[in-house]
Amino acid sequence: MPELPEVEHAARSLRAWMQGRCIVRAAAERGRVLRDEDPRRFARVLSGRTLESVERRGKYLLLIFDREVGLLSHLGMTGKLVLREAGEVEPYSRARFELQGGQVVHFRDPRKFGRLRLAPARRLAQQPEIAALGPDAWEEPPTLRSLSESLGRTKRPVKLALMDQSVIAGLGNIQVAEALFRAHVSPRRRADQLRPEELGRLATAIRESLAFTLARLTPVQGDVSYVEEPGAANPFLIYGKAGEPCPLCGEKLRSFSQGGRTTHWCPRCQR
DNA sequence: TGACCCCTGGCC
DNA sequence: GGCCAGGGGTCA
């Protein structure tokens, strides 16, 4: 369930698995993931192509095949790219790329919130969803200056502003909660009322939180395990830990709803 | 800005 | 059986 670190990891995995390899056959099921795209066209356009490059912008993947065919991908809530041997059945596989030599890369997505869309390679970056993104939180890390400009424009709570992909691209519910905790800033604070020292701490905290999560996702193996999956230990500082003691002060961590999503925080550390 | 929707599985 | 879930989009 991907935020920037998981998508970055997916990009690295794709490069390791597919870059320079010929897709003997591509296929996809008709339905939400492909939206209005015809699966027959998907198969026709991508079969026989070679993956040339994979880029990440925010939570989107931009794949380029043979310099001309582009594929825009978003993993949604439950999307994941996995490498399997030929003939293995992959549950919830919505699309697959059969590689020369027998392996298969599946776009697995139980909840079908993910997306795959063909577009001319040349115009991938101009697709509306990509053009609407703010600076990438990892490639163009936020600074005191960039945050004071982007957050200074909105009266929304800082939690919601940081979740807005047009403000900063790549952060989701977990990374925002973790970064605000690291910065000692309350998620309820009005974005335009943060003091310079708080913005500076927040810029650092965002980079640290992303680096922390990304470090746990490497190295690339045959399969990609997300940081938090059913049964896995929760590696985060406060996310998903409401009711447990704060790792810094021991106060009980809390959660509440903000913009329809759960926000985790420490009422004593975050002001 | 908030409500609701898209989907399915896992957990209590 | 009901609630929850890290994504985005639309509508009033």
Side-chain angles (χ1 to χ4, degrees):
Chain A
M1 287 128 273
E3 298 185 26
L4 187 153
E6 290 80 9
V7 181
E8 175 64 25
H9 192 252
R12 294 175 186 180
S13 301
L14 275 183
R15 288 184 201 116
W17 298 337
M18 278 179 79
Q19 201 161 35
R21 288 180 75 180
C22 179
I23 297 166
V24 178
R25 206 170 71 89
E29 68 172 34
R30 186 179 300 277
R32 269 190 67 79
V33 171
L34 235 52
R35 298 296 196 270
D36 42 7
E37 183 76 69
D38 178 1
R40 286 168 300 188
R41 176 165 179 267
F42 180 89
R44 190 177 65 242
V45 169
L46 290 171
S47 296
R49 298 282 180 188
T50 298
L51 179 65
E52 181 184 321
S53 66
V54 180
E55 274 187 67
R56 182 192 55 73
R57 301 281 176 86
K59 299 172 194 169
Y60 286 88
L61 291 171
L62 285 59
L63 282 66
I64 293 181
F65 301 86
D66 295 338
R67 291 177 166 238
E68 48 180 330
V69 175
L71 183 64
L72 202 58
S73 160
H74 195 293
L75 298 172
M77 290 269 270
T78 53
K80 186 171 179 177
L81 291 152
V82 297
L83 182 68
R84 297 287 182 253
E85 295 303 322
E88 271 186 78
V89 176
E90 181 61 25
Y92 312 111
S93 171
R94 308 302 177 193
R96 61 215 127 268
F97 304 97
E98 301 175 20
L99 306 177
Q100 209 153 40
Q103 290 179 309
V104 185
V105 173
H106 291 269
F107 185 97
R108 172 197 154 95
D109 184 12
R111 283 174 76 181
K112 302 183 192 173
F113 288 169
R115 259 168 300 158
L116 289 172
R117 191 155 69 75
L118 291 166
R122 225 168 270 255
R123 289 204 291 274
L124 264 189
Q126 283 83 54
Q127 297 302 301
E129 50 272 70
I130 302 300
L133 296 174
D136 187 87
W138 185 248
E139 298 297 334
E140 304 168 71
T143 61
L144 163 57
R145 194 170 165 174
S146 72
L147 286 184
S148 96
E149 198 171 301
S150 56
L151 294 180
R153 277 197 295 259
T154 177
K155 298 176 178 173
R156 284 179 295 175
V158 61
K159 160 83 189 305
L160 299 185
L162 291 174
M163 295 271 295
D164 184 338
Q165 301 301 296
S166 69
V167 173
I168 299 180
L171 305 181
N173 205 28
I174 294 182
Q175 294 301 324
V176 169
E178 294 285 295
L180 286 170
F181 175 72
R182 286 172 185 264
H184 291 203
V185 171
S186 164
R188 299 181 203 261
R189 291 281 300 284
R190 248 177 70 165
D192 62 350
Q193 289 183 350
L194 296 180
R195 297 187 298 275
E197 64 267 29
E198 293 173 318
L199 293 168
R201 290 206 304 268
L202 194 50
T204 305
I206 289 168
R207 295 196 296 268
E208 287 177 351
S209 178
L210 291 172
F212 172 82
T213 309
L214 200 47
R216 295 184 52 93
L217 290 165
T218 49
V220 174
Q221 296 295 332
D223 195 359
V224 183
S225 188
Y226 286 156
V227 174
E228 195 203 328
E229 285 201 325
N234 175 350
F236 299 107
L237 299 176
I238 60 153
Y239 177 79
K241 296 192 171 177
E244 295 181 32
C246 169
L248 291 183
C249 75
E251 175 89 11
K252 202 188 214 184
L253 296 172
R254 303 286 174 81
S255 69
F256 65 103
S257 180
Q258 234 178 346
R261 330 197 69 127
T262 304
T263 297
H264 299 261
W265 70 306
C266 172
R268 191 187 289 172
C269 292
Q270 296 174 257
R271 300 288 178 171

